[in-house]
Structure formats: C-alpha cells, structure tokens
Amino acid sequence: MAAVRAKKRSSAAGDRLINRELSFLDYDARLLDLAHDETVPLLERVFFLSVFAQMLDEFFMVRIAGLVGQAAAGVTVRSPDGRTPQQTLAEARRRVLELYAEQARFWEDVLCPALAAERIVVSRVEDLDHAELAELDERFDREIFPVLTPLAVGPGQPFPYISALSISVALFVSDPESGEARFARVKVPEGLPRFLPVGTDGRFVPLEQVLTHYLPSLFPGMEILERSLFRVTRDADLEVSDEADDLLEAVELELRRARFGEVTRLEVSKGMSAQLRERLQQGLRVADDLIYPLEGTLDLADAAELTKLDRPDLKNDPWVPVARPPFGSLETAAEQFAAIRQADLPVHHPYDSFAASFEAFLDRSASDPNVIAIKSTVYRTSDDTPLVPALIEASERGKQSVCLVEIKARGDERRNIEWSRALEQAGVHVVYGFPTMKIHAKTTLVVRREGGTLRRYVHLGTGNYNNVTARVYEDFGLFTADEDIVADVADLFNYLTGFGRPARFRKLLVAPFTLKQRLVEEIRSVAEAAAAGKKARMRIKVNGLTHIDVIDELYAASQAGARIDLLVRGVCALRPGVEGLSETIRVRSVLGRFLEHSRLFVFEADDRSTFLMGSADLMPRNLDHRVEVVTPVEDAALQAELAATIDALLADNTSSWELAGDGSWHRVRPKKEERVRSAQAVLMRRARRRVSLARSR
C-alpha cells in the first residue's frame, strides 16, 4: 500500500544507513497498514488507527522538536545517514502529509462506513433527527456550555495561551453595529467524551462539531464570519541540567516550562482561510513549514474511545493470561522462594499472568517476616500499581524498602513524582537517579533471612512494572537466586543509591559500562566463526536499532558470512540485503494485538551459544546514556523457549513486514498453499499447553 511503502531514498552516507526519523514514520505507517487489514476485527482496526495518530503526536513532541531546535540554532552537522536537520525536516514533512491524506481517506471512506454498518454511527449534528437534536440541546446546556470559555483578542486581550494537543475553534467574529471584527478562540473542553453519544441508535457526534454548532450562544448578538478547527503540538522533551542540586525540583520546573514549549506543529482544517491561518500563525509564532492542513477529523487518537464500547463481536476474543507453572500452585512465601532456589523461573507476559507471578512475588515478599529488605526500580507504572503499596507495606513492617524512581521517564514525570512523595511519606527510601542518565533497568531485589544466613532473590525484566501494560505489552521476566546475578544486582543498587564507581559485574551486562562492549564481543565471535567456516548465526529482537557501532559490527559479521535475523519492531537504521554489505542480514517487524517489547539476543558461534535478555535496545540512548541491565540466560529449557519465540516471530506471515535494502517495508503474506502463521496465536497456544501439561502430571 502507498501508506506503508517508503519511497526509495539515497544519499552518499545513506547508502549504509536509513534515516532515523523517516524510519519512525515508516513504523507508524505499518500501524496504519494494519488498520487496513480486513481480517482484523473492526474495533481493533480503529485501535490501530488511534495508536498511529498518538505516535505521530509523540514524533512531533520529541523528534521534530529536536530537529526544529537544531535548525533554529543553525546546526549543520549531518545525521549518520548524511542529512542536515533542515533536509530531514523537509523529507519528514512530505511523508507526514502523505500519511495525513491516507489517514483522512481511510477514516472517512472505510472505517466510518464500516462502523455505521455495525450501528456505530459517527454523525454530524445536521444528520440528527428532531428528538436527537432536542437531546443534544439539553446536554449542551447542562454539560458543555458551563465549561466553555470564549477568548477574544483585542485591546487589553492578548493572544491566549494554547495548550498542547487540545482541539480549538478559531473564529473571526464581527459586531454588526460597530463593524469591529476580532479573532477569538474557544477550546474544545477536555474531560468530556470526544465522541458524544446521542439517542439510542448508536449515534456519536464529535464534540468539536457540537461546539461549532452552538457557537452563536457564546457570542450573542455577534456575527460569526468564519470558524475553523486547529490543534497545537509543543516541544515536550525535558532538559535537566547535570548541575541540578535537587533533581525532583529540577524536573518539576522543566514540566512547568514544557507547558509553554515551542510549537512544533500547527494542525489546521484544510478549509481554513488564508487570513485566519495567518492570524493563528502570528499569534503562535510558528513557521510555515510547521503548519499542516488536514482534511476531515483532527486528533484521531481519541478514536480509541470507540474501542471501549461493549461490542465483543467487533473485537479480538479476550485473552486471559495464565498462571504459568509453578506460580499457579504456590501459596506461601516459603514455597515461592523454594521454587526460585530450585531453578530459575521465567515468565512471558501477557501470555503468563503478571498478577500470578510478579505481583504475587512482591506481595509475599512484603508480608513474609523473614524478608528483611526489598529494593526495586520504577520507570513507568500504572495508577493502581502493586509495587508502591507493597513497598509501603514492607516499610511499615520494619523492612528496609528502597525504590529508585526515574522521574525523567517521558510522559510519566508527574505520576512518578507523585509516587515518590507517597513512598517517602511512608518511610520508603526513595532515590531519583542521575540528572543526565535515566535508570531504565527493570529489576527487584529481595533479601531474606534463611536458617541464620541471608539469601538474595532477584526479578529481572525486559518491561516496566506496570500491571496495565503487562496485559498488552509482550515482555519476558526472570526470577533467579543465582549467586553471581543477585550479587551483581545488589552492587548495582548500591551504585545507584550511593557514591562510588560501579563494581566489576560478574554476569550482568550493564550499560553504560559493559553492555555495548560485551555485545560487540559476541557479534565478533560469531563473525570469526563464520570466517572459519563454522556455524555462525545471530537472532536479535529489539524495539529499535540505530547505534552505528553495533550496525557496523553487524555489517562486518554479514560480510564474514554470518546468518543474521533481526526482529526490529520500530526504528531501524540498518540496511539489510545490500550486496557486499549486508547480504546475509534479514530484518522483520512484527506487530499485532500485543506490542512486541522484549529484548532478546541469541549468538551462536561454532558449538558455543549465548542467550541474553534485558531492558536495552540497540540505540545510543540505551547503550551509552542510560542504566540498562541485560542478563545471561543459562537454563537450557529457557534458552529453548527464547529461541522458539524468536523463530515463531520470524515465521509469522499475518502481522509482519520485511525491510528491503532501499529502506522500504513490505507486508509478508502467506505464499500460495502456505498455511497462515500468527506468532502471537502460537504463543498463546503454548502458554495454555504449559498449564494443561502441568495439571495432567
């Protein structure tokens, strides 16, 4: 499809690398392509469309914001693919406009008619019958009008502040008696349904259309000359000084500053007049190339509201995570810790239950009188997280409780600040990390007194401790009592909470200290095996691949003859299948009902195999500027599970795309007479089978 297939791009440096920003837009386009898939239930298609729109918002808040800042500062340094900031901005704009056009056509011509056929009608006010219009009149007077605030611009009335990502109506309003005309703005109220249900026949009217219809009641006696919708995006990337004495205070100040960040995008309805657009542009001080005229509905991220309707016939069959053996049979803390001592215990979310594994582990640890300390990290978590209450309970029971809260986690800064204060008030030791380095590792350490000695237990994960995303994000976790690993985790916590240089880690690969070096060593060992004519294969699963040093090592390994399979869900700067450069490298991206989020690494060199899992993607921010943890996986059964998981994803032909050397992505389809293979369906069946086998024993 045109929406997902990137145009061929070439530049001198770009012969080896794909531009990061353009690769991100290709990833977003794959989500839009998945929304087109008629084999996907209708409301799931609406969900993918909403995610596409949400990710585009984040792209402008962060990536475009950075490029705009560089361009404004006159930076001419080229990106690794050879583009200046100005060139990347121009190409990204062209691509975004293409995606906008495809999104609008798809919503209006495909999804809305399909929804209407299922009695979910996204309607205009003009299409309502007399009874429905009377209902809307009453609801407007009771629920909407009281929260509206018209803001006019004139003497003593400066141009109003426009909050980020909110839809507004821009107007020219005239006084018929004096002839005076003014610009005005009315914000579409937040906190109300974006798609307002009207009547009993499944009609929904977009809130901005309701507001536009009733605008005359806000400007009594005035003539509305023009009305049109617009939406502003602002720079949301925080910049915390490395000299900040109080990190919590510094982040709070940055959050307040970010509310008034520079405009990085102005979306306007395509029918807006040049005069009204110019007035907006002057008031917001936004350049021409940051204005995006849109056909149809603005901010389709809110279409996710429709997916919450009680229409199971239009959704995937619900998946209920299973209690992976032995977690389903563990009842006491003693049984739990004995099971972990006996063998490393893996979990694979959302196939395996987060509640029955990590939450239960934490709850039992907090209440167990033999546990004397719990230490954990918080990067992103949910409002009803079990982690915070467990740490508070442990503190109240006299246990040493330590929580490292990453308050710079983008988008979760306010929530993490609130959690940190609640923890501190309960007596939990709270640490905020470093001003210039995010703590992205996902690990929990439990210290338990057993028979006169102290024993440590650890959980290491590839994803956040978030019980909401654990139901839709795919991630691995590992519970272990391995002496070297638990000692490494203890040393890491001491480094993060104390003052000193990090110790030499025994088994863990920790960024920014040893992780990149160890990964490079593993890649080189595979390359050496290939050069010697021995077995040489790599299978890597990550969310992003942009680190130039790693890409160069992968290219070298390919030239030596190593077979390399890469599963890269999102941004990928590597060009696969290029003659003389990367002929033996294959790159695939798998999407689906669950967000592929785990990071897995399998290196096979001759008769030696190395299996790794952890929190780090292969990007500069992860390997060079964050604290990340990757752990070796030494248990043969778990190694086999990781390999089988990767192989299932590589064999998927329902929700996967393959990257070509020219930077274009192509949907993988079953070949003639080839059976349909859905990796995530396979993994759901395997999870159920594990439980069935355990029960039958």
Side-chain angles (χ1 to χ4, degrees):
M1 296 182 61
V4 73
R5 193 157 297 173
K7 295 180 178 178
K8 293 186 179 181
R9 312 177 183 113
S10 63
S11 62
D15 292 341
R16 292 174 58 84
L17 299 167
I18 298 170
N19 179 270
R20 172 177 175 162
E21 278 67 35
L22 299 180
S23 180
F24 181 95
L25 292 174
D26 287 341
Y27 168 41
D28 207 16
R30 295 197 291 281
L31 288 168
L32 187 57
D33 193 28
L34 196 55
H36 280 79
D37 191 340
E38 294 182 359
T39 66
V40 175
L42 181 57
L43 287 181
E44 305 294 346
R45 298 170 68 190
V46 173
F47 172 76
F48 284 121
L49 176 70
S50 73
V51 175
F52 160 81
Q54 180 183 341
M55 288 187 59
L56 203 55
D57 289 345
E58 294 177 4
F59 176 70
F60 277 90
M61 289 190 291
V62 180
R63 301 305 307 174
I64 292 297
L67 290 170
V68 168
Q70 292 176 29
V75 174
T76 57
V77 176
R78 295 180 181 270
S79 57
D81 60 285
R83 289 173 172 81
T84 64
Q86 294 82 356
Q87 288 174 323
T88 301
L89 282 169
E91 290 192 53
R93 176 180 173 81
R94 285 194 292 271
R95 182 74 172 120
V96 169
L97 288 171
E98 292 174 359
L99 291 171
Y100 271 143
E102 175 62 20
Q103 172 194 242
R105 186 203 65 78
F106 177 57
W107 174 250
E108 296 293 338
D109 298 345
V110 179
L111 279 187
C112 282
L115 288 166
E118 296 291 347
R119 296 185 63 200
I120 302 172
V121 183
V122 179
S123 176
R124 300 178 304 168
V125 176
E126 293 78 10
D127 296 330
L128 302 182
D129 62 27
H130 180 74
E132 291 168 336
L133 192 56
E135 177 191 337
L136 188 62
D137 288 342
E138 182 183 351
R139 291 195 65 181
F140 178 80
D141 290 339
R142 186 179 68 250
E143 301 175 18
I144 302 173
F145 182 81
V147 297
L148 298 178
T149 304
L151 296 171
V153 176
Q157 296 174 302
F159 194 90
Y161 165 73
I162 308 295
S163 56
L165 302 183
S166 60
I167 299 176
S168 295
V169 183
L171 308 97
F172 278 137
V173 183
S174 173
D175 183 343
E177 294 185 4
S178 67
E180 180 186 6
R182 291 192 184 185
F183 169 86
R185 173 255 186 166
V186 182
K187 179 179 178 179
V188 176
E190 297 168 334
L192 296 174
R194 172 72 187 284
F195 294 90
L196 199 68
V198 179
T200 58
D201 293 331
R203 283 194 182 276
F204 295 86
V205 181
L207 188 56
E208 65 272 20
Q209 291 193 23
V210 176
L211 176 56
T212 302
H213 178 76
Y214 290 101
L215 276 176
S217 64
L218 293 172
F219 300 92
M222 299 293 110
E223 180 184 358
I224 297 176
L225 304 176
E226 182 182 356
R227 66 193 79 183
S228 191
L229 299 171
F230 72 96
R231 183 169 176 259
V232 166
T233 308
R234 295 183 182 274
D235 181 353
D237 210 14
L238 302 187
E239 297 179 5
V240 180
S241 170
D242 58 0
E243 298 179 355
D245 293 325
D246 187 327
L247 186 57
L248 185 65
E249 180 181 337
V251 171
E252 288 183 309
L253 287 172
E254 274 297 295
L255 285 172
R256 287 194 286 271
R257 180 203 62 78
R259 284 190 66 239
F260 301 93
E262 293 296 319
V263 174
T264 59
R265 177 182 57 174
L266 171 59
E267 298 167 284
V268 299
S269 293
K270 204 159 191 177
M272 181 181 288
S273 70
Q275 185 182 7
L276 186 55
R277 185 188 303 184
E278 183 179 352
R279 186 66 187 89
L280 269 176
Q281 187 175 359
Q282 291 173 349
L284 292 166
R285 297 191 297 276
V286 58
D288 290 341
D289 57 0
L290 297 180
I291 299 177
Y292 288 80
L294 271 70
E295 292 276 8
T297 306
L298 273 64
D299 190 14
L300 280 170
D302 286 339
E305 285 184 11
L306 299 174
T307 68
K308 297 175 183 177
L309 295 172
D310 186 18
R311 290 294 302 271
D313 56 315
L314 302 180
K315 301 178 184 180
N316 287 320
D317 292 336
W319 167 253
V320 179
V322 301
R324 182 184 182 124
F327 292 103
S329 60
L330 301 177
E331 296 182 359
T332 67
E335 291 175 341
Q336 165 183 282
F337 292 114
I340 299 173
R341 285 196 305 274
Q342 185 176 358
D344 290 351
L345 300 181
V347 283
H348 191 190
H349 309 302
Y351 310 104
D352 300 327
S353 169
F354 186 76
S357 55
F358 180 74
E359 289 186 16
F361 169 78
L362 204 60
D363 289 342
R364 294 188 187 113
S365 299
S367 59
D368 181 7
N370 293 317
V371 168
I372 63 172
I374 302 176
K375 302 181 181 183
S376 191
T377 58
V378 168
Y379 190 77
R380 298 189 196 280
T381 192
S382 56
D383 288 331
D384 56 348
T385 175
L387 179 59
V388 172
L391 289 171
I392 291 174
E393 179 188 353
S395 178
E396 291 173 344
R397 289 174 177 266
K399 308 177 193 300
Q400 184 186 80
S401 300
V402 179
C403 189
L404 199 148
V405 181
E406 181 46 79
I407 56 174
K408 301 186 299 301
R410 185 180 297 132
D412 284 310
E413 299 95 344
R414 295 188 190 280
R415 175 184 288 157
N416 285 358
I417 288 172
E418 291 169 359
W419 282 132
S420 66
R421 287 185 168 142
L423 288 163
E424 285 182 326
Q425 290 171 3
V428 177
H429 299 296
V430 178
V431 182
Y432 300 115
F434 309 103
T436 59
M437 190 164 59
K438 289 183 179 180
I439 314 301
H440 196 243
K442 293 85 168 64
T443 184
T444 296
L445 171 70
V446 172
V447 183
R448 189 171 189 259
R449 183 178 287 109
E450 297 176 358
T453 63
L454 295 181
R455 188 183 291 271
R456 294 175 290 200
Y457 300 85
V458 159
H459 173 272
L460 295 161
T462 66
N464 301 308
Y465 292 138
N466 186 316
N467 59 346
V468 174
T469 58
R471 293 193 287 268
V472 290
Y473 280 33
E474 176 274 338
D475 275 301
F476 274 94
L478 181 68
F479 296 88
T480 183
D482 181 286
E483 289 293 340
D484 288 334
I485 291 177
V486 299
D488 280 346
V489 171
D491 288 345
L492 179 62
F493 270 109
N494 288 340
Y495 164 68
L496 296 175
T497 61
F499 178 71
R501 299 184 183 278
R504 186 184 71 83
F505 297 102
R506 302 156 186 83
K507 285 187 177 179
L508 292 186
L509 288 64
V510 182
F513 311 112
T514 61
L515 177 56
K516 185 176 80 171
Q517 175 188 342
R518 289 283 304 279
L519 290 175
V520 167
E521 289 171 359
E522 293 292 346
I523 295 171
R524 288 178 177 174
S525 70
V526 176
E528 290 168 4
K534 299 175 180 178
K535 180 180 180 181
R537 186 184 183 192
M538 280 178 258
R539 284 170 287 176
I540 296 174
K541 178 180 183 293
V542 289
N543 300 320
L545 171 57
T546 61
H547 202 297
I548 307 307
D549 294 345
V550 175
I551 290 173
D552 284 342
E553 294 292 342
L554 291 171
Y555 283 156
S558 176
Q559 291 160 31
R563 178 183 170 189
I564 304 171
D565 286 302
L566 304 175
L567 287 161
V568 186
R569 188 195 78 218
V571 176
C572 181
L574 177 146
R575 291 187 182 276
V578 176
E579 185 177 356
L581 178 68
S582 56
E583 292 173 76
T584 64
I585 301 178
R586 178 173 62 153
V587 178
R588 287 210 173 185
S589 173
V590 178
L591 306 176
R593 66 184 293 177
F594 305 134
L595 180 76
E596 293 294 330
H597 192 251
S598 64
R599 292 86 166 183
L600 309 175
F601 308 86
V602 181
F603 301 99
E604 298 170 89
D606 194 10
D607 58 353
R608 175 177 171 270
S609 296
T610 301
F611 288 75
L612 306 168
M613 55 171 270
S615 62
D617 288 312
L618 298 178
M619 305 174 75
R621 69 184 187 191
N622 300 98
L623 300 185
D624 302 330
H625 307 297
R626 287 183 175 182
V627 174
E628 305 271 11
V629 169
V630 170
T631 183
V633 176
E634 299 174 339
D635 179 84
L638 180 51
Q639 288 181 349
E641 181 176 344
L642 296 185
T645 298
I646 292 177
D647 288 343
L649 291 164
L650 289 170
D652 182 281
N653 58 18
T654 62
S655 303
S656 62
W657 287 256
E658 188 155 345
L659 177 61
D662 65 356
S664 61
W665 290 87
H666 306 272
R667 185 81 180 262
V668 177
R669 301 287 189 184
K671 297 176 182 177
K672 188 177 182 180
E673 298 182 355
E674 181 183 21
R675 68 184 180 90
V676 173
R677 294 189 297 268
S678 166
Q680 294 185 351
V682 167
L683 294 170
M684 285 189 279
R685 288 195 296 270
R686 288 179 184 172
R688 290 194 187 102
R689 192 180 307 126
R690 276 194 296 266
V691 175
S692 297
L693 289 173
R695 288 173 178 168
S696 64
R697 287 172 185 157

